[in-house]
Amino acid sequence: MSVASRQDTGFVRAALGHPAFLAGLALTALFVLAALISFLWTPFDPEKMQIAAKLQSPSAEHWFGTDHFGRDVFSMLMVGARVSIAVAFVAVGIGIGFGVPLGLYAAANRHGLIDEIVMRGNDLIFAFPSLLLAILITAVFGPGAVNAIIAIGIFNIPVFARLSRGAALSLWTREFILAARVAGKGSTRISVEHILPNLMNLLIVQGTIQFSLAVLAEAGLAYVGLGAQPPTPSWGRMLAEAQTFISLAPHMALFPGLAIVLTVLGLNLLGDGLRDLHDPRLRRSRA
Amino acid sequence: MILYFLRRLTALLLTMFAASIVVFLVTEIIPGDPASFMMGINADPQAVAALRTELGLDQPVATRYLAWLLGMLQGDFGQSYTYKVPVSELVGDRIMVSLPLTLYALALSTLIAFPAGVISAARRNTTADFAVIGATQLGVAIPNFWFAMLLVLAFAVNLHWFSAGGFPGWDAGFLEGMKALTLPAVALALPQASILARVMRSSLLDTLDEDFVRTARAKGLTRSQTLWRHALRNALIPVLTIVGLQFSFLLAGGIIIENVFYLPGLGRLVFQAITQRDLIVVRSVIILLVFAVVAVTFLVDMAYAAADPRLRRRPR
């Protein structure tokens, strides 16, 4: 058996013995699956209004009840999962896509002018109240899913830049990097071929955590009316609409909220689990 | 120490300067002309032009930026386009809601998180520890505005203990004011308390592993004596940093909760100002909030450096 596949079986065995990781994986898979299935099938048309059937409590026909326009809450949640996941995924992608190269470049040229600019730029973004600036950005460019992605994505850039710079700096002092330099490789090649692969675990763990934060942020923006626009259902806006009917139809507020909580909980458990599983010390202590 | 102080102070001023440029430029590109927004769609173009001159909107961008910056340095934030009162007055009114709300939420968060974190660390791997870990996992996953809605449903709609929103003003009495802020503060405090309890737990666990704790135990102190006299004090440093960060986060982050409860705070002010194109208010409030964040970080850094001389050396 090759070293790589032996490591893989070790990981799988450790993962199977980690209940929190499995719970996180199951919850995350549930919502990704719901989003994917929604492309092919939903119990009802999530955008179709049936005023005669408005504000119904959960029943055999409408599993999670209906809203004030008679739309099926379950179907809306399925399509809403799509929006939540897509926004969070692209926003984290922006963070990784811009942040990691910046961090790697800054680490390879540390104490240089670019390093200083990148780090001070990071400090600047961190100093802004993130939600407020996201609201400002969506106000400038108009509300909508794409602008929500940009607003959330911008705040992910310094997170990944800082993380990859810090980790890369410590890797640059290691012997295998010295060996690569002696072999005549330039700093860009070393960053891509040797540093980046060693950052993968760290990036996956942080990516999962940022993903859950992005789901929360998207819900918040949608709640104040700056996320995906009607008629596309989104969890945050469903909650905003539910607020008016909170005493008449509490189920309208209950299910979208639970969907957010379970998705975020699942992603957090998944992230924590991955961190444990990639940490050899923790892995050994579990075995 | 003085050198370190000066270096950090320069960084603070540079950050503030850069932030002021960013805020100014971002608000500059918000579509919609404040003057035509104020006059309505059917306004006479000449009247709009006159108003633009009156507001100084016909000046070049650089001139307006400098005027804004110099005004702020003298404590003059300009006049709100829509409310027609000085921005400083508006902010002064609103901060009387946002600041008490922030402090209330921070107090609640700390009161919940400290005991939870200490119990969790002191009784590691017991049922109590697992309960705290589970509760904090759930706490960080709950969106605060949803939790706020559940609180309204339970304590306002069903039990009638609190009102569902609004603020009577401090003139109605301190207790009435605090009562109106209670549900919003609880909603804001829950996720913060979860984060704080986790930091408290892990910081205390790290400290309990240190040599000086072992020495304290070896000289005959009981577990709880070691915990209270030695470990806790040392574990508090990272916790206090988080408390500092949470203060600025809560001050700015109350915007959604202020909307849920219809509280006339800073967050709601900015939100309304953005929709009304009241740029001068948007700018000034955001820059004040950025200043609060930067200043709190600066103070925390200074407190650290005073406590731990190693930190005064240049980082990296």
Side-chain angles (χ1 to χ4, degrees):
Chain A
M1 201 191 276
S2 72
V3 176
S5 63
R6 207 178 308 146
Q7 271 177 355
D8 286 349
T9 33
F11 180 84
V12 172
R13 197 176 304 146
L16 288 175
H18 196 305
F21 170 78
L22 292 178
L25 191 66
L27 279 174
T28 311
L30 179 75
F31 282 97
V32 173
L33 216 61
L36 290 177
I37 293 175
S38 78
F39 282 103
L40 303 170
W41 173 85
T42 51
F44 291 86
D45 179 350
E47 292 172 17
K48 194 177 166 204
M49 300 185 191
Q50 271 191 300
I51 303 296
K54 70 174 182 184
L55 300 177
Q56 283 184 6
S57 296
S59 63
E61 194 187 2
H62 295 284
W63 298 339
F64 288 176
T66 59
D67 75 351
H68 54 304
F69 291 125
R71 293 174 296 189
D72 181 54
V73 172
F74 188 81
S75 307
M76 290 171 77
L77 280 183
M78 282 178 78
V79 179
R82 210 149 85 186
V83 177
S84 253
I85 289 172
V87 170
F89 191 80
V90 183
V92 175
I94 291 177
I96 293 179
F98 287 94
V100 174
L102 278 176
L104 288 179
Y105 187 83
N109 305 284
R110 77 183 125 153
H111 302 316
L113 184 64
I114 300 287
D115 181 23
E116 200 61 31
I117 292 174
V118 168
M119 295 320 289
R120 294 294 82 81
N122 280 343
D123 289 348
L124 187 63
I125 298 187
F126 272 126
F128 277 95
S130 52
L131 185 69
L132 212 52
L133 204 65
I135 287 174
L136 191 60
I137 289 171
T138 38
V140 170
F141 298 106
V146 175
N147 294 331
I149 290 174
I150 297 172
I152 301 167
I154 287 179
F155 288 98
N156 276 309
I157 297 174
V159 173
F160 287 101
R162 216 172 249 204
L163 180 80
S164 46
R165 178 182 177 272
L169 274 181
S170 75
L171 284 170
W172 270 100
T173 61
R174 300 271 292 273
E175 278 163 6
F176 70 96
I177 299 295
L178 196 65
R181 284 174 103 165
V182 172
K185 289 189 182 177
S187 57
T188 311
R189 255 187 89 182
I190 293 179
S191 291
V192 175
E193 289 176 12
H194 299 283
I195 306 264
L196 188 59
N198 279 293
L199 295 183
M200 277 309 180
N201 290 343
L202 209 59
L203 291 177
I204 292 171
V205 172
Q206 192 66 38
T208 321
I209 292 164
Q210 294 307 119
F211 201 108
S212 77
L213 291 175
V215 169
L216 275 177
E218 191 272 338
L221 283 179
Y223 175 80
V224 290
L226 297 172
Q229 292 301 296
T232 312
S234 83
W235 294 347
R237 210 185 50 252
M238 287 171 78
L239 283 177
E241 288 170 354
Q243 201 174 345
T244 324
F245 302 95
I246 189 103
S247 51
L248 268 172
H251 67 269
M252 267 176 74
L254 187 66
F255 293 112
L258 276 179
I260 299 172
V261 172
L262 291 177
T263 308
V264 174
L265 185 66
L267 286 163
N268 283 342
L269 290 174
L270 190 68
D272 288 356
L274 282 171
R275 193 190 48 217
D276 288 357
L277 294 170
H278 283 306
D279 189 334
R281 284 168 302 172
L282 292 173
R283 230 162 109 178
R284 221 174 299 134
S285 68
R286 279 181 188 284
Chain B
M1 182 70 197
I2 292 174
L3 204 69
Y4 178 79
F5 173 80
L6 288 177
R7 208 162 53 215
R8 297 290 309 154
L9 192 66
T10 319
L12 177 140
L13 293 175
L14 282 178
T15 313
M16 285 306 301
F17 181 62
S20 72
I21 295 179
V22 173
V23 171
F24 187 85
L25 289 180
V26 171
T27 47
E28 200 54 30
I29 53 175
I30 289 187
D33 173 38
S36 22
F37 203 83
M38 285 163 71
M39 307 283 285
I41 344 169
N42 299 320
D44 172 28
Q46 265 184 325
V48 174
L51 185 64
R52 282 181 61 85
T53 318
E54 191 195 321
L55 296 174
L57 290 169
D58 54 348
Q59 305 276 333
V61 176
T63 318
R64 277 184 291 138
Y65 169 73
L66 279 179
W68 177 61
L69 194 67
L70 291 175
M72 274 198 306
L73 291 177
Q74 295 161 356
D76 173 18
F77 289 85
Q79 188 161 15
S80 157
Y81 300 157
T82 41
Y83 297 95
K84 312 273 196 231
V85 290
V87 176
S88 49
E89 209 173 282
L90 267 183
V91 171
D93 282 351
R94 302 303 184 101
I95 211 155
M96 291 310 288
V97 178
S98 289
L99 192 63
L101 176 62
T102 301
L103 293 175
Y104 196 175
L106 203 61
L108 283 178
S109 150
T110 317
L111 280 177
I112 300 167
F114 269 50
V118 172
I119 289 170
S120 188
R123 306 198 179 153
R124 194 183 185 177
N125 291 335
T126 61
T127 321
D129 185 20
F130 292 134
V132 170
I133 293 176
T136 57
Q137 277 283 11
L138 207 59
V140 290
I142 295 180
N144 57 16
F145 56 91
W146 184 59
F147 186 54
M149 288 165 71
L150 297 183
L151 289 175
V152 168
L153 184 64
F155 296 103
V157 176
N158 288 330
L159 293 170
H160 301 291
W161 289 358
F162 296 94
S163 71
F167 186 71
W170 293 109
D171 297 338
F174 178 74
L175 283 179
E176 279 302 306
M178 290 303 274
K179 200 177 160 194
L181 293 182
T182 298
L183 291 186
V186 173
L188 275 174
L190 172 89
Q192 304 304 319
S194 305
I195 297 170
L196 205 58
R198 283 172 161 209
V199 177
M200 183 79 224
R201 176 180 182 274
S202 63
S203 168
L204 198 52
L205 283 179
D206 284 347
T207 316
L208 286 173
D209 270 350
E210 298 258 3
D211 286 340
F212 71 86
V213 171
R214 206 167 305 137
T215 312
R217 290 278 282 148
K219 77 172 192 191
L221 292 187
T222 63
R223 265 181 69 88
S224 64
Q225 278 173 328
T226 331
L227 185 82
W228 290 105
R229 283 192 207 161
H230 296 277
L232 198 59
R233 209 181 285 179
N234 280 283
L236 276 181
I237 295 176
V239 178
L240 290 180
T241 319
I242 303 292
V243 173
L245 286 175
Q246 288 193 341
F247 172 77
S248 36
F249 174 83
L250 284 171
L251 194 58
I255 178 163
I256 292 187
I257 290 297
E258 285 177 7
N259 270 300
V260 177
F261 290 97
Y262 307 104
L263 292 175
L266 275 184
R268 219 169 134 71
L269 176 68
V270 184
F271 197 67
Q272 286 166 339
I274 289 175
T275 46
Q276 291 161 342
R277 299 290 175 268
D278 200 344
L279 301 187
I280 195 91
V281 172
V282 178
R283 255 170 220 166
S284 307
V285 176
I286 293 189
I287 204 74
L288 278 175
L289 289 173
V290 172
F291 181 70
V293 176
V294 180
V296 168
T297 318
F298 175 76
L299 289 177
V300 170
D301 278 358
M302 284 302 119
Y304 259 28
D308 188 345
R310 284 170 301 179
L311 291 170
R312 285 176 222 161
R313 265 182 258 139
R314 207 174 159 74
R316 16 173 200 206

